[in-house]
């Protein structure tokens, strides 16, 4: 074989390969060749620091999941994947820039600093005390490793320190806050005459010619879009649960199985945590001996445990049930007798000695007291177990069938009908974009096929077919006449109100007194703030936007809404009062300063981003 290798090495193919390697080395350098085999692909480089493809893809996945969770009806097909990738890459570049800036300023956390911060985090505490087992369980549920979380925490903490520092430097002139409060607390003296729709409605008449003209000039408003009438079958866990029969024997067996959960057992643990490796084994032997000699577990925890949060309490972790601690820790704890101390238990946090301080257990409720709850729950469990099977059957049956009658009869499901579904969607379940898109696809719309079985919610699936297709059409005048007439009447009333208000304003500005107008009853307001009860917001807004009266001449204005108008006579503007030593003023000064600080930090971020050397691959 060795001779064969030597012979092949002299072949033409081998020489070509060697030649290509030489060319590659001369053009791209040794790093390119070695990196191609051993390096990790990167998607961008920020000031010489790589953003790896693995980090990028993982973040894209997390961001996609987050956006799906924010949808009312999660549908991966609705995600703009290109936009997600762009947003994620921009965010990672910005994060790299900020992290590098923090590092250049000497801001870094030691392992001890990270430990101290973690112990203070409430999500990692049990009964107010830090629990490494709770932390492990929490991170596991998030799909994160301990090392990954610590690295992320160290990075984000120093960046936030800079953000907080810059934001706290925001400064504003105290007079800005004073001026704001003076305007906010300002009061005004004014009179208001309200004109309602009934006062002008008699003068508004809409002719047939006006209706005809509006219809002809606004044809696009009265064009009915493409629509379909559809039949559909909904399969849901709830529907299946209603048809599931639960026997007395099944109910009793389910009760016996779940009784332990209703009589939840909680155990109070104390522990001594020793760092693994080094002289841990010797330390543990010494601790076991001192415990056998009668020394207090709590005193030894205070002296030796590296879990400083619980050590101060003698290692006490409080009461907790199953599913809280690390698996190995939990297994050891629930195997102990009260007062017993475990053998050394190793977890990702180190090595533990665990003492069971106490056990508490609630009484088991009777079957009768839980009958309704358990029956519903068991029906849903059985329905969940059957859902996947029935869903698969429905998907296959609907795919092969020429209608929905066969699949519905086969599976005992109901066919429903909906009319007038447009491509913009309609009432549930046709508010799901994926289902509507299928409904208007060529195969379904023109080919007469059923849609695929679409998951429109949690354990809810729908299959549909088109019963009748309605092409877009122009609605006839007779179909929309009343709609046009109502629209024109509303417009006419608003114009009439505006004209009447303008007429009264003109008379007041020409010198007529309020009581000479004979237009109705005026409301008088003195020293009134912005919270005017019983007055339309658009009128209040107009009152407080009017110019300050000059001398004894009042300022006159008007405000017009859809169904009422108001004539306003403003006689006085009273300066707002506030206490410069009061809480309201001080809080506003701090708030405005924070806003300014945030603006400055935004500018600082942008500066760092603009001056960074970024290469996107």
């Amino acid at each position: 074989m060795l001779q064969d290798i030597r012979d092949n090495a002299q072949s033409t193919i081998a020489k070509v390969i060697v030649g290509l390697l030489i060319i590659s080395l001369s053009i791209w350098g040794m790093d390119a060749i070695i990196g191609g085999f051993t390096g990790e692909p990167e998607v961008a480089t920020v000031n010489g620091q790589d953003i790896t493809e693995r980090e990028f893809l993982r973040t894209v996945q997390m961001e996609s999941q987050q956006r799906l969770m924010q949808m009312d009806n999660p549908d991966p097909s609705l995600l703009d994947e290109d936009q997600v990738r762009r947003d994620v890459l921009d965010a990672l570049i910005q994060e790299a820039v900020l992290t590098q800036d923090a590092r250049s300023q000497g801001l870094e956390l030691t392992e001890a600093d990270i430990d101290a911060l973690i112990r203070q985090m409430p999500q990692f505490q049990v009964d107010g005390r830090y629990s490494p087992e709770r932390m492990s369980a929490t991170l596991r549920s998030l799909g994160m490793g301990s090392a990954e979380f610590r690295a992320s925490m160290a990075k984000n903490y120093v960046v936030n320190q800079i953000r907080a520092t810059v934001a706290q430097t925001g400064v504003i002139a105290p007079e800005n806050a004073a001026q704001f409060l003076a305007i906010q607390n300002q009061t005004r003296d004014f009179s208001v005459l309200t004109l309602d729709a009934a006062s002008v409605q008699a003068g508004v008449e809409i002719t047939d010619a006006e209706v005809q003209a509006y219809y002809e000039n606004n044809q696009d408003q009265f064009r009915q879009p493409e629509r379909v009438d559809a039949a559909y079958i909904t399969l849901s866990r709830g529907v299946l649960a209603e048809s599931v029969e639960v026997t007395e024997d099944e109910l009793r067996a389910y009760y016996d199985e779940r009784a332990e959960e209703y009589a939840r057992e909680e155990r109070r643990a104390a522990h001594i945590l020793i760092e693994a490796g080094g002289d841990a084994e010797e330390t543990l032997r010494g601790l076991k001996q001192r415990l056998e000699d009668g020394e207090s577990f709590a005193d030894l925890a205070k002296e030796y445990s590296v879990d400083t949060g619980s050590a101060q309490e003698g290692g006490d972790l409080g009461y907790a049930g199953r599913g809280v601690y690390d698996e190995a820790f939990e297994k050891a704890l629930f195997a102990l007798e009260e007062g017993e101390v475990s053998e050394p238990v190793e977890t990702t946090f180190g090595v533990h000695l665990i003492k069971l301080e106490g056990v508490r257990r609630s009484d088991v409720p009777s079957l009768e007291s839980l009958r309704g709850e358990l029956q519903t729950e068991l029906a849903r469990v059985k329905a969940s177990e059957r859902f996947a099977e029935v869903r698969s059957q429905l998907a296959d049956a609907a795919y092969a069938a020429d209608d929905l009658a066969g699949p519905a009869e086969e599976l005992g499901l109901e066919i429903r009908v909906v009319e007038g579904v447009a491509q913009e969607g309609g009432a549930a379940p046709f508010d799901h974009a994926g289902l509507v898109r299928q409904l208007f696809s060529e195969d379904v719309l023109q080919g007469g096929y059923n849609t695929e079985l679409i998951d429109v919610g949690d354990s809810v699936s729908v299959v549909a077919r088109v019963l009748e297709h309605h092409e877009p059409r122009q609605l006839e005048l007779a179909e929309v006449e009343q709609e046009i007439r109502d629209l024109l009447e509303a417009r006419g009333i608003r114009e009439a109100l505006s004209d009447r208000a303008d007429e009264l304003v003109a008379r007041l500005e020409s010198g007529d007194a309020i009581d000479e107008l004979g237009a109705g009853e005026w409301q008088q307001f003195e020293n009134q703030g912005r919270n005017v009860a019983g007055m339309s917001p658009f009128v209040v807004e107009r009152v407080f936007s009017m110019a300050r009266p000059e001398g004894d001449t009042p300022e006159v204005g008007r405000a017009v809404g859809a169904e009422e108008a108001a004539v306003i006579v403003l006689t006085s503007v009273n300066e707002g009062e506030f206490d410069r030593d009061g809480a309201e003023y001080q809080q506003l000064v701090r708030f405005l300063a924070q806003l300014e600080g945030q603006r400055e930090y935004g500018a600082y971020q942008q500066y760092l981003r603009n001056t960074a050397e970024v290469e996107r691959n």
Side-chain angles (χ1 to χ4, degrees):
M1 179 176 289
L2 290 175
Q3 185 58 46
D4 290 339
I5 295 174
R6 294 191 189 96
D7 293 341
N8 289 333
Q10 304 301 318
S11 69
T12 302
I13 295 176
K15 291 176 181 177
V16 171
I17 293 173
V18 172
L20 290 174
L21 286 173
I22 292 172
I23 294 172
S24 299
L25 287 169
S26 64
I27 296 176
W28 293 292
M30 182 64 75
D31 287 344
I33 301 301
I34 296 175
F37 292 102
T38 63
E40 186 173 355
E42 69 277 350
V43 294
T45 303
V46 182
N47 294 326
Q49 174 185 323
D50 291 339
I51 296 175
T52 66
E53 185 178 47
R54 180 173 55 181
E55 177 186 11
F56 170 70
L57 292 177
R58 186 176 186 279
T59 310
V60 166
Q61 182 181 18
M62 293 172 62
E63 178 63 19
S64 297
Q65 290 297 323
Q66 183 66 28
R67 296 191 185 191
L68 282 172
M69 290 171 60
Q70 293 172 354
M71 295 182 182
D72 292 334
N73 297 302
D75 183 354
S77 67
L78 297 180
L79 282 179
D80 186 339
E81 294 182 3
D82 291 337
Q83 186 62 49
V84 172
R85 294 170 74 90
R86 286 193 295 270
D87 292 345
V88 166
L89 185 55
D90 287 341
L92 289 175
I93 290 171
Q94 188 65 49
E95 180 184 79
V97 168
L98 296 174
T99 304
Q100 292 168 4
D101 176 57
R103 191 180 303 120
S104 70
Q105 297 188 44
L107 293 176
E108 289 186 300
L109 289 183
T110 65
E111 291 299 311
D113 293 332
I114 298 173
D115 287 339
L117 289 171
I118 288 175
R119 291 190 183 98
Q120 296 171 18
M121 298 177 71
Q123 56 267 49
F124 298 150
Q125 295 180 356
V126 176
D127 292 336
R129 286 183 286 276
Y130 167 68
S131 166
E133 289 73 24
R134 170 63 65 84
M135 175 181 171
S136 178
T138 302
L139 294 184
R140 190 163 57 243
S141 69
L142 295 173
M144 293 185 73
S146 177
E148 182 184 8
F149 174 74
R150 293 171 69 89
S152 175
M153 187 172 180
K155 179 168 55 180
N156 291 330
Y157 184 81
V158 293
V159 168
N160 287 334
Q161 287 295 98
I162 294 178
R163 177 186 292 112
T165 300
V166 174
Q168 289 171 4
T169 62
V171 177
I172 64 154
E175 278 309 308
N176 289 349
Q179 186 178 13
F180 180 90
L181 278 182
I183 294 173
Q184 180 65 28
N185 296 342
Q186 187 184 86
T187 63
R188 297 191 167 202
D189 300 341
F190 57 94
S191 302
V192 174
L193 171 65
T194 301
L195 305 170
D196 60 18
S199 65
V200 297
Q201 190 166 17
V204 177
E205 292 185 7
I206 307 301
T207 66
D208 292 342
E210 288 174 323
V211 172
Q212 178 75 36
Y214 187 90
Y215 174 77
E216 292 176 355
N217 294 330
N218 298 276
Q219 293 279 313
D220 289 344
Q221 290 185 22
F222 308 109
R223 189 179 301 278
Q224 194 171 61
E226 180 182 20
R227 298 169 300 121
V228 296
D229 299 336
Y232 66 100
I233 297 173
T234 299
L235 173 66
S236 70
R237 184 173 59 183
V239 170
L240 288 179
E242 291 174 3
S243 62
V244 167
E245 181 181 350
V246 177
T247 67
E248 183 66 22
D249 288 343
E250 287 175 328
L251 184 63
R252 187 166 294 279
Y254 190 65
Y255 169 75
D256 292 340
E257 178 187 331
R258 298 290 306 278
E260 284 299 315
E261 296 180 24
Y262 287 102
R264 179 177 173 83
E265 179 183 297
E266 294 184 319
R267 295 193 162 208
R268 184 175 184 179
H271 78 147
I272 301 172
L273 178 62
I274 303 298
E275 291 183 353
D279 57 355
E281 191 172 330
E282 182 180 345
T283 301
L284 288 166
R285 278 200 302 270
L287 285 170
K288 293 286 286 185
Q289 185 60 52
R290 292 175 66 176
L291 287 169
E292 291 174 4
D293 292 342
E295 291 196 45
S296 164
F297 188 94
D299 290 342
L300 292 176
K302 291 177 181 178
E303 182 179 350
Y304 283 96
S305 183
V306 296
D307 179 9
T308 55
S310 67
Q312 297 175 2
E313 304 296 329
D316 187 16
L317 296 174
Y319 280 98
R322 292 185 181 273
V324 172
Y325 298 124
D326 180 273
E327 185 177 352
F329 189 101
E330 178 182 292
K331 183 177 179 181
L333 174 62
F334 279 82
L336 293 174
E337 298 293 333
E338 191 166 344
E340 185 181 3
V341 178
S342 72
E343 293 299 319
V345 177
E346 187 167 352
T347 70
T348 55
F349 301 99
V351 184
H352 311 253
L353 289 180
I354 307 168
K355 182 180 180 182
L356 178 58
E357 298 283 11
V359 179
R360 64 186 183 190
R361 180 185 177 89
S362 61
D363 294 333
V364 181
S366 68
L367 172 59
E368 289 307 314
S369 67
L370 297 172
R371 177 175 293 275
E373 177 184 345
L374 291 179
Q375 197 156 13
T376 300
E377 188 175 326
L378 181 54
R380 292 183 67 83
V381 169
K382 294 178 70 174
S384 295
E385 294 171 351
R386 192 162 175 258
F387 180 81
E389 177 187 350
V390 177
R391 185 192 182 284
S392 179
Q393 292 174 355
L394 178 58
D396 292 341
Y399 179 79
D402 294 330
D403 56 23
L404 295 180
E409 182 178 356
E410 178 184 340
L411 298 171
L413 299 172
E414 178 187 359
I415 298 178
R416 300 177 182 177
V417 174
V418 63
E419 297 180 351
V421 179
Q423 293 200 44
E424 291 75 21
F430 294 96
D431 56 348
H432 188 277
L435 177 59
V436 174
R437 187 165 52 249
Q438 282 258 329
L439 201 60
F440 281 87
S441 67
E442 184 176 350
D443 285 347
V444 177
L445 196 62
Q446 307 297 337
Y449 293 102
N450 297 328
T451 68
E452 296 176 10
L453 188 61
I454 305 295
D455 296 323
V456 299
D458 182 22
S459 297
V460 179
S461 302
V462 173
V463 61
R465 69 178 290 106
V466 172
L467 296 178
E468 189 171 353
H469 177 212
H470 305 282
E471 295 286 355
R473 73 179 184 90
Q474 183 69 43
L475 296 174
E476 299 295 333
L477 175 59
E479 297 177 88
V480 295
E481 180 178 359
Q482 189 57 51
E483 177 185 344
I484 295 175
R485 194 173 294 279
D486 292 343
L487 186 151
L488 293 178
E489 182 174 300
R491 179 187 294 178
I493 287 174
R494 182 181 177 91
E495 291 174 353
L497 286 170
S498 179
D499 292 343
R500 178 61 173 152
D502 286 342
E503 175 193 342
L504 295 174
V505 167
R507 290 181 59 184
L508 288 169
E509 289 178 337
S510 66
D512 287 359
I514 285 178
D515 54 7
E516 295 175 350
L517 297 180
E521 185 177 351
W522 290 74
Q523 291 178 281
Q524 309 291 330
F525 297 91
E526 292 186 3
N527 206 30
Q528 177 63 57
R530 298 172 186 270
N531 56 337
V532 186
M535 184 177 291
S536 298
F538 75 93
V539 178
V540 177
E541 181 181 354
R542 180 70 181 105
V543 168
F544 281 86
S545 65
M546 291 172 63
R548 187 186 299 268
E550 296 182 6
D552 295 331
T553 303
E555 187 73 17
V556 180
R558 45 80 122 181
V560 180
E563 297 180 352
E564 68 177 21
V567 178
I568 305 162
V569 177
L570 176 64
T571 54
S572 177
V573 174
N574 312 307
E575 295 301 330
E577 297 180 356
F578 63 93
D579 181 5
R580 288 180 181 265
D581 296 323
E584 182 184 32
Y585 175 77
Q586 299 299 329
Q587 288 174 0
L588 180 60
V589 168
R590 288 193 295 269
F591 174 72
L592 294 177
Q594 288 174 0
L595 288 182
E596 178 63 18
Q598 291 170 8
R599 188 195 64 78
E600 291 177 0
Y601 181 71
Y604 179 67
Q605 277 186 302
Q606 192 60 48
Y607 166 76
L608 293 176
R609 178 67 180 82
N610 292 342
T611 56
E613 295 183 5
V614 178
E615 296 181 11
R616 299 172 186 252
N617 299 331

